[in-house]
């Protein structure tokens, strides 16, 4: 067997690791281990000079295995695998030890942290000692794309892909396209008509030769993997359509928060307390009025309804502050003599043109009142007979510190954006995860914001988190561009960390066939052994742990690799500290 | 001297490992006794891994996977759960307290839960004291 020559690189991550872990001591310790030819520490391993360090050492010292102790492999494993490839080494002859997320960021005693870091690195060195070169496998890409959700996000992605000459299947669960954008009147901050923007796109979409539209349709199950997915759509009880596609965009959008649960606001009981969506409807019909059909003299707009509060959602819904300002502008033009109150927690004018919009709007004779969103929500009650209005809003005004009462004829609740209740169904169908708030999780929050951990599945628009129309479109078109790039290549590399049966050891018990969730294993009657179909296998490793004879090898997570990693981890304990 | 246990922890890549990463990015502090091994799915974890950890001197083993119904490979965690109960029985026969082996579900967003779990597990093991299996086995090895 070829001599093992391992290079170990310990990253400082600036101060992120080096402050809590003695990186010098770690690299020194590793020099003592058998097969370790070189051990170094460096300020930023992922930087170009950091990668060059590895590449040059591989060439100069004939290294054939590399360990990097740095951040989580979920962030930079691919970066370093590429570096190995650039140096002519098989990218799988690599292992990372996570000494940032699992050590320096979570521990407080430098000595203990350093010992733990050492043990993780020894574990990685032990594991990489048993790594084997794995061949890349590529699969052809079906150029069709499935888009789930026909709001502004789904529509925008569909048009871009279809315009390039590729097929798009767009599945929308309701009978109508446009999503929430279709229910909005004007848009902040430039007050363009949402209808005009979306109608134009919908018309183009309906007539597009490359787009096949399925309204009133839902996805149940999707099979396959990047490049080769398939599903069966149930159009109605009799009709079924089978679709094949290479990529998926999830654009299922948002749901608006139901404020009936917030006692202070009396929504559902007080007829003139309405939600922002209901107010958009009034604006679209061109009539702002109370339940009794009167013109409201006092309009109160309450922010953060269901947002930024532990009892509801902790996050900010991002669009409601500006939507609320948009309402003051629209109200000021429609009802020049009315009193308009913005009852807000913090004014968030985050986007391009938004701070300017705030300044402009505040000059339009609008009263701004601040409340404490965490501790004391405003209270709405019915006005008395003598009062000259329908409702009274009680606020503990934060800036003045005074409790005040504001007259109201109409109260608009700026309800938050939330994930759909059935978000989980789609997550399961396409194999992606959700965060605590049920919004879908991107592959990396900074570096890979529209991809997911499942290759070939992208998330765009408000199903990923609250956002406005331009941000939704940006994501949609970014995902479309990602997919077009893959279609252009014609094929993609897929995971090669699949399972493999050693026919000489297999006793033919077929236990593995029973446990494989992807029916990737079949039985060869003639040879009396099981065989893994490597295209279908996703490398979960379940068969490997079920096989009684040890015939199954789960590539990159073999028994030998893991057992040896355990030995490494246990070779240095905290005891001596 | 204070007993400083070592706990080997197997985390599935998709939920639990990501959850542990989140504990890190959120700078949550927890006990330094846990050493993590990443596997793609909790379904990959076999009895030999757990026994090996104890054999090498681990005082506890913590397994984490996606919540029921959330496994990236559909049902690897159910298979892990079934195996877990068997292994727990088995280690008891070897004289290892069953609480030294724990299985829990940690999702990608549960950084806080992971940090708390790590602390809890460390506390449990500290109360149980060092695991003697390694020594016993070494003695046996010598005799045989
Ligand atoms: C009252 C209000 C006012 C707003 N004002 C503005 C504004 O002025 N400016 C601005 O920029 N933004 C505004 N927004 C935000 C804007 O509406 C959103 O950013 C935008 O609609 C997001 O588009 P989307 O396609 O991501 O989601 P959605 O509009 O929610 O569309 C999602 C689509 O997917 C469909 N769907 C859901 N689940 C499934 C499924 N399982 N299968 C198939 N289809 C499914 C839905 O039926 C829907 O058609 C406002 C929002 C609200 C609520
Ligand atoms: S955008 Fe404004 S109103 Fe909406 S949740 Fe954030 S702070 Fe509250
Ligand atoms: S479980 Fe193992 S021995 Fe049994 S059929 Fe599968 S590979 Fe062969
Ligand atoms: S690794 Fe998982 S997907 Fe692959 S054959 Fe084994 S059980 Fe099936
Ligand atoms: S992937 Fe997490 S338990 Fe299977």
């Amino acid at each position: 067997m070829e001599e093992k020559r391992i290079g170990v690189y310990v990253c400082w991550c600036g101060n992120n690791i080096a402050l809590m872990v003695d990186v010098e001591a770690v690299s020194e310790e590793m020099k003592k281990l058998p097969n370790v030819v070189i051990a170094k520490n460096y300020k930023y391993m992922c930087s170009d000079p950091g990668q060059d360090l590895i590449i040059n050492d591989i060439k100069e010292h004939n290294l054939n295995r590399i360990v990097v102790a740095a951040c989580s492999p979920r962030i930079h494993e691919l970066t370093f695998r590429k570096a190995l490839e650039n140096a002519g080494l098989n990218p799988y002859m690599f292992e990372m030890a996570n000494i940032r997320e699992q050590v320096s960021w979570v521990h407080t005693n430098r000595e203990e942290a350093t010992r733990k870091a050492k043990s993780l690195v020894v574990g990685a060195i032990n594991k990489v000692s048993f790594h084997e070169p794995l061949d890349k496998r590529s699969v052809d890409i079906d150029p069709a794309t499935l888009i789930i959700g026909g709001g502004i996000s789904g529509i925008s992605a569909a048009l871009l892909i279809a315009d390039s000459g590729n097929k798009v299947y767009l599945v929308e669960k309701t009978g109508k396209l446009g999503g929430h954008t279709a229910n909005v009147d004007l848009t902040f901050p430039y007050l363009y008509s949402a209808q005009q923007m979306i109608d134009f796109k919908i018309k183009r979409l309906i007539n597009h030769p490359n787009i096949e539209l399925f309204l009133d349709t839902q996805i149940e199950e999707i099979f396959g993997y990047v490049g080769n997915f398939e599903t069966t759509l149930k159009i109605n009880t009799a009709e079924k359509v089978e679709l094949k596609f290479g990529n998926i965009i999830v654009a299922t959008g948002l749901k608006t928060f139901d404020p009936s649960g917030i006692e202070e606001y009396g929504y559902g009981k007080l007829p003139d307390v309405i939600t922002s969506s209901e107010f958009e409807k009034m604006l679209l019909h061109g009539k702002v009025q109370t339940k009794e059909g009167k013109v409201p003299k006092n309009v109160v707009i309450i922010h953060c309804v269901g947002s930024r509060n532990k009892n509801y959602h902790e996050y900010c819904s991002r669009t409601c502050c500006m939507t609320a300002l948009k309402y003051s502008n629209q109200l000021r033009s429609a009802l020049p003599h009315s009193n308009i109150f913005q009852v807000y927690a913090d004014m968030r004018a985050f986007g391009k043109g938004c701070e300017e919009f705030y300044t402009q709007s505040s000059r339009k004779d609008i009263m701004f009142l601040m409340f404490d969103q965490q501790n004391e929500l405003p209270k709405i009650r019915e006005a008395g007979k003598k009062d000259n209005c329908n409702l009274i809003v009680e606020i503990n005004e934060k800036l003045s510190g005074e409790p005040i009462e504001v007259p109201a004829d109409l109260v608009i609740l700026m309800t938050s954006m939330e994930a759909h209740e059935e978000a989980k169904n789609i997550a399961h169908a396409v194999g992606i995860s959700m965060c605590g708030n049920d919004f879908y999780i991107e592959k990396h929050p900074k570096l890979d914001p529209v991809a997911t951990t499942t290759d070939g599945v992208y998330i765009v628009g408000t199903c990923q988190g609250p956002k406005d129309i331009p941000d939704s479109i940006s994501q949609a078109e970014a995902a479309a561009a990602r997919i077009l790039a893959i279609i252009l290549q014609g094929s993609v590399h897929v995971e090669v960390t699949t399972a493999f049966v050693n026919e000489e050891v297999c006793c033919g018990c077929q236990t593995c066939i029973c446990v494989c969730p992807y029916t990737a294993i079949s039985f060869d009657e003639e040879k009396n052994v099981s065989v893994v179909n490597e295209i279908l296998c996703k490398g979960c490793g379940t068969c490997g742990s079920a096989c009684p004879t040890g015939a199954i090898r789960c590539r990159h997570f073999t028994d030998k690799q893991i057992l040896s990693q355990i030995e490494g981890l246990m070779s240095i304990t905290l005891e001596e500290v | 001297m204070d007993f400083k246990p070592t706990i080997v922890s197997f985390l599935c890549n998709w939920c639990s490992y990501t959850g542990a990463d989140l504990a890190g990015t959120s700078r949550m502090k927890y006990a330094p006794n846990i050493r993590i091994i990443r596997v793609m799915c909790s379904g990959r974890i076999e009895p030999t891994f757990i026994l090996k950890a104890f054999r090498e001197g681990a005082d506890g083993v913590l397994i984490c996977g996606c919540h029921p119904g959330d496994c990236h490979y559909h049902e690897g965690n159910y298979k892990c759960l079934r195996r877990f109960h068997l292994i727990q029985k088995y280690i008891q026969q070897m004289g290892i307290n069953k609480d030294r082996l724990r299985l829990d579900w940690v999702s990608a967003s549960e950084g806080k839960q992971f940090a708390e779990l790590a602390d809890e597990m460390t506390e449990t093991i500290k109360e149980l004291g060092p695991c003697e299996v390694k020594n016993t086995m070494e003695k046996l090895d010598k005799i045989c």
Side-chain angles (χ1 to χ4, degrees):
Chain A
M1 210 175 89
E2 177 198 33
E3 184 200 355
K4 290 173 186 166
R5 299 180 60 80
I6 306 175
V8 181
Y9 300 85
V10 184
C11 185
W12 304 12
C13 195
N15 270 338
N16 281 302
I17 293 171
L19 266 190
M20 188 46 67
V21 172
D22 184 345
V23 287
E24 179 68 25
V26 177
S27 59
E28 279 307 303
E29 179 95 16
M30 298 311 133
K31 285 185 184 159
K32 300 179 199 156
L33 298 181
N35 301 327
V36 173
V37 178
I38 269 184
K40 294 182 174 171
N41 59 77
Y42 183 71
K43 205 159 189 179
Y44 291 107
M45 280 313 300
C46 58
S47 67
D48 285 344
Q51 294 184 48
D52 287 343
L53 193 65
I54 302 178
I55 294 173
N56 293 335
D57 283 351
I58 291 177
K59 291 181 181 157
E60 198 173 315
H61 300 276
N62 237 339
L63 304 177
N64 52 24
R65 288 169 164 76
I66 300 294
V67 167
V68 173
C71 51
S72 168
R74 289 180 53 257
I75 297 171
H76 276 311
E77 188 167 51
L78 287 181
T79 313
F80 293 117
R81 278 190 187 164
K82 281 223 176 77
L84 264 71
E85 253 185 316
N86 289 341
L89 211 59
N90 185 285
Y92 290 91
M93 304 306 273
F94 171 75
E95 182 69 15
M96 267 185 106
N98 183 346
I99 60 166
R100 191 180 72 180
E101 281 81 349
Q102 286 175 18
V103 182
S104 66
W105 277 351
V106 289
H107 301 323
T108 46
N109 176 320
R110 192 156 194 262
E111 228 174 299
E112 288 180 338
T114 303
R115 289 192 79 82
K116 175 170 171 183
K118 283 179 187 169
S119 79
L120 296 184
V121 184
V122 181
I125 293 172
N126 277 11
K127 179 161 188 265
V128 89
S129 301
F130 292 99
H131 277 193
E132 321 156 294
L134 299 177
D135 287 331
K136 278 202 172 159
R137 196 158 46 87
S138 66
V139 294
D140 289 341
I141 291 286
D142 185 321
T145 301
L146 173 75
I147 299 181
I148 309 173
I152 190 88
S153 306
I155 293 174
S156 303
L159 287 172
L160 193 64
I161 295 173
D163 283 347
S164 75
N166 291 293
K167 185 96 204 161
V168 171
Y169 303 111
L170 182 68
V171 174
E172 162 60 48
K173 77 171 171 189
T174 69
K176 173 175 158 276
L177 288 171
H180 285 87
T181 309
N183 305 328
V184 170
D185 181 22
L186 302 183
T187 53
F188 65 79
Y190 305 115
L191 305 181
Y192 296 149
S193 155
Q195 305 300 307
Q196 273 173 18
M197 293 190 292
I198 194 120
D199 281 354
F200 171 73
K201 285 192 177 235
I202 292 176
K203 255 189 217 116
R204 221 157 77 64
L205 188 141
I206 291 174
N207 296 315
H208 208 297
N210 291 331
I211 301 179
E212 211 168 312
L213 182 60
F214 300 92
L215 292 177
D216 293 310
T217 309
Q218 295 219 47
I219 296 285
E220 281 171 19
E221 256 185 303
I222 295 179
F223 299 98
Y225 47 90
V226 57
N228 300 276
F229 292 108
E230 54 182 76
T231 189
T232 306
L233 297 179
K234 289 194 191 108
I235 305 301
N236 46 47
T237 39
E239 204 185 338
K240 279 183 187 165
V241 184
E242 278 182 25
L243 300 180
K244 286 189 177 3
F245 40 91
N247 290 281
I248 301 170
I249 295 181
V250 180
T252 47
L254 67 107
K255 180 176 150 285
T256 52
F257 174 79
D258 174 3
S260 335
I262 307 183
E263 232 170 78
E264 287 89 338
Y265 296 155
Y267 177 78
K269 293 184 197 110
L270 304 170
D272 285 312
V273 177
I274 63 171
T275 65
S276 39
S277 302
E278 289 163 340
F279 187 61
E280 292 285 351
K281 252 183 232 151
M282 279 191 188
L283 291 168
L284 280 172
H285 291 128
K287 243 191 206 142
V288 176
Q289 57 186 24
T290 64
K291 268 276 139 45
E292 288 183 334
K294 287 191 195 140
V295 174
K297 187 143 184 16
N298 305 291
V299 184
V300 174
I301 304 168
I302 302 183
H303 290 218
C304 296
V305 177
S307 305
R308 307 182 60 225
N309 182 301
K310 285 191 289 300
N311 299 330
Y312 310 102
H313 295 301
E314 285 192 69
Y315 56 82
C316 165
S317 292
R318 281 189 78 188
T319 56
C320 9
C321 275
M322 290 305 108
T323 304
L325 288 185
K326 165 183 97 178
Y327 294 161
S328 338
N329 279 275
Q330 288 173 282
L331 282 162
R332 188 45 81 231
S333 325
L335 315 170
H337 304 296
S338 59
N339 301 315
I340 304 169
F341 302 90
Q342 292 277 348
V343 178
Y344 72 106
D346 291 289
M347 187 58 73
R348 302 211 159 156
F350 71 97
K352 197 169 184 174
C354 289
E355 187 64 29
E356 296 87 331
F357 183 54
Y358 176 28
T359 314
Q360 263 169 41
S361 311
S362 57
R363 291 200 197 105
K364 297 198 169 166
D365 190 19
I366 287 151
M367 184 82 144
F368 287 84
L369 301 166
M370 194 180 193
F371 67 97
D372 181 349
Q373 169 70 358
Q374 292 304 322
N375 302 308
E376 203 171 10
L377 298 185
K379 265 195 203 71
I380 308 174
R381 64 173 152 85
E382 237 167 314
K385 292 238 166 56
K386 279 183 247 149
D387 296 317
N388 206 0
C389 57
N390 289 349
L391 303 160
I392 301 281
V393 183
E394 302 167 17
I395 308 162
N396 235 336
E397 213 283 326
K398 208 171 157 186
L399 296 177
S400 61
E402 303 277 329
I404 53 176
E405 295 196 339
V406 179
D409 302 299
L410 186 66
V411 177
I412 306 166
L413 303 178
M414 301 307 302
T415 50
S416 69
M417 288 190 189
E418 50 186 22
H420 285 287
E421 269 141 20
E422 351 70 75
K424 200 168 204 164
N425 300 347
I426 294 289
H428 279 184
V430 303
I432 57 177
S433 322
M434 304 185 299
C435 65
N437 304 310
D438 289 359
F439 291 115
Y440 299 130
I441 300 185
E442 56 281 2
K443 187 161 187 180
H444 188 281
K446 299 229 172 270
L447 304 173
D448 214 346
V450 296
T452 65
T453 49
T454 301
D455 287 343
V457 179
Y458 298 85
I459 47 174
V460 304
T462 44
C463 64
Q464 181 263 355
K467 58 179 65 67
D468 62 356
I469 295 168
D471 282 0
S472 298
I473 296 178
S474 306
Q475 283 197 332
E477 297 197 336
R482 292 280 297 266
I483 290 173
L484 288 178
I486 293 170
I487 295 175
L488 210 59
Q489 283 169 9
S491 63
V492 277
H493 290 301
V494 293
E495 270 302 329
V496 290
T497 54
T498 49
F500 171 81
V501 177
N502 180 345
E503 296 184 355
E504 296 191 349
V505 182
C506 171
C507 67
C509 69
Q510 304 188 33
T511 313
C512 52
I513 298 180
C514 303
V515 299
C516 175
Y518 298 100
T519 50
I521 313 179
S522 56
F523 195 63
D524 183 333
E525 302 277 353
E526 222 161 89
K527 290 188 186 160
N528 195 38
V529 292
S530 288
V531 185
V532 177
N533 176 338
E534 294 188 20
I535 301 277
L536 294 178
C537 169
K538 299 207 181 201
C540 68
T542 306
C543 57
S545 47
C547 171
T549 63
I552 294 197
R553 201 183 174 76
C554 301
R555 291 194 178 100
H556 220 54
F557 293 90
T558 63
D559 289 4
K560 233 194 207 150
Q561 289 164 4
I562 293 176
L563 294 174
S564 167
Q565 185 180 6
I566 297 172
E567 275 176 30
L569 287 187
M570 293 306 305
S571 66
I572 297 174
T573 60
L574 296 176
E575 222 98 273
E576 291 90 78
V577 180
Chain B
M1 202 179 66
D2 246 13
F3 165 49
K4 290 185 176 150
T6 310
I7 297 160
V8 173
S9 181
F10 297 93
L11 308 190
C12 86
N13 178 59
W14 303 98
C15 287
S16 309
Y17 195 91
T18 314
D21 271 356
L22 182 64
T25 37
S26 323
R27 312 295 201 274
M28 287 158 181
K29 304 297 174 213
Y30 59 83
N33 309 66
I34 299 257
R35 273 97 215 265
I36 293 170
I37 290 180
R38 175 165 74 139
V39 286
M40 291 317 274
C41 173
S42 64
R44 172 71 186 101
I45 298 161
E46 39 181 292
T48 36
F49 298 171
I50 295 160
L51 298 178
K52 174 76 173 175
F54 284 122
R55 174 73 182 76
E56 291 298 315
D59 301 296
V61 173
L62 174 65
I63 302 171
C64 301
C66 313
H67 283 269
D70 287 349
C71 170
H72 189 76
Y73 308 98
H74 307 305
E75 49 198 30
N77 47 3
Y78 290 115
K79 284 167 189 141
C80 178
L81 178 64
R82 245 172 277 155
R83 222 168 272 152
F84 167 78
H85 289 304
L86 287 175
I87 306 169
Q88 218 176 26
K89 282 209 185 93
Y90 184 76
I91 60 166
Q92 276 173 288
Q93 305 214 317
M94 293 173 63
I96 301 176
N97 186 304
K98 71 173 187 6
D99 293 339
R100 291 191 188 273
L101 174 64
R102 179 163 174 180
L103 169 69
D104 230 304
W105 314 125
V106 174
S107 80
S109 60
E110 292 178 334
K112 186 160 170 268
Q113 282 82 344
F114 179 77
E116 286 168 2
L117 188 60
D119 279 341
E120 244 178 72
M121 181 76 182
T122 307
E123 272 321 300
T124 311
I125 302 297
K126 275 189 179 163
E127 272 164 34
L128 289 172
C131 180
E132 298 298 340
V133 161
K134 184 182 178 187
N135 293 339
T136 320
M137 286 175 103
E138 267 165 13
K139 269 184 221 143
L140 280 175
D141 280 352
K142 269 184 209 141
I143 297 166
C144 298

